[in-house]
Amino acid sequence: QAQLVESGGGLVQSGGSLTLSCATSGFTLEDYAIGWFRQAPGKEREDVSCINWGDGSTIYADFMKGRVTISRDNAKKTVYLQINRLKSEDTAVYYCAADPSPCGSSWYIKGVGRSWGQGTQVTVSA
């Protein structure tokens, strides 16, 4: 059974950086894409970034380009999301999700991945 566990969230000052982790288990990573999403209070969930595990190709949401980097660690079966120059509007619960279809497919666009983590809260103070 596929499992994803996010960690690394917390309270950070505006302008600071944070690295979120998504630890995975229970599925063959090479066949999956891992995406990061976020949902702020009162807002719809939005996609942030995605990585195709097999070839390492990535995509980023336009509003995050230049501030975020997604990466993976094969040995640890973990995907990371580093966010720099954090802003108050980055405050949200961040989720990772896995799906056997590539990044950019409908699952990612619609935010309906096959497996989801429980989320990790990121709060950016002014």
Side-chain angles (χ1 to χ4, degrees), residues 36-96:
W36 281 97
F37 302 80
R38 71 182 189 184
Q39 188 165 19
K43 295 187 177 181
E44 294 187 353
R45 185 167 55 199
E46 57 186 356
D47 58 275
V48 176
S49 183
C50 187
I51 185 167
N52 291 308
W53 196 280
D55 63 8
S57 56
T58 60
I59 60 175
Y60 295 97
D62 286 342
F63 65 86
M64 293 297 277
K65 283 183 178 178
R67 295 198 297 125
V68 65
T69 303
I70 190 170
S71 61
R72 72 192 194 290
D73 185 317
N74 290 328
K76 296 182 178 180
K77 298 184 178 180
T78 298
V79 174
Y80 302 98
L81 185 74
Q82 180 179 355
I83 312 173
N84 300 316
R85 301 190 301 280
L86 282 156
K87 309 174 184 178
S88 57
E89 51 262 46
D90 292 324
T91 295
V93 178
Y94 285 72
Y95 301 89
C96 62

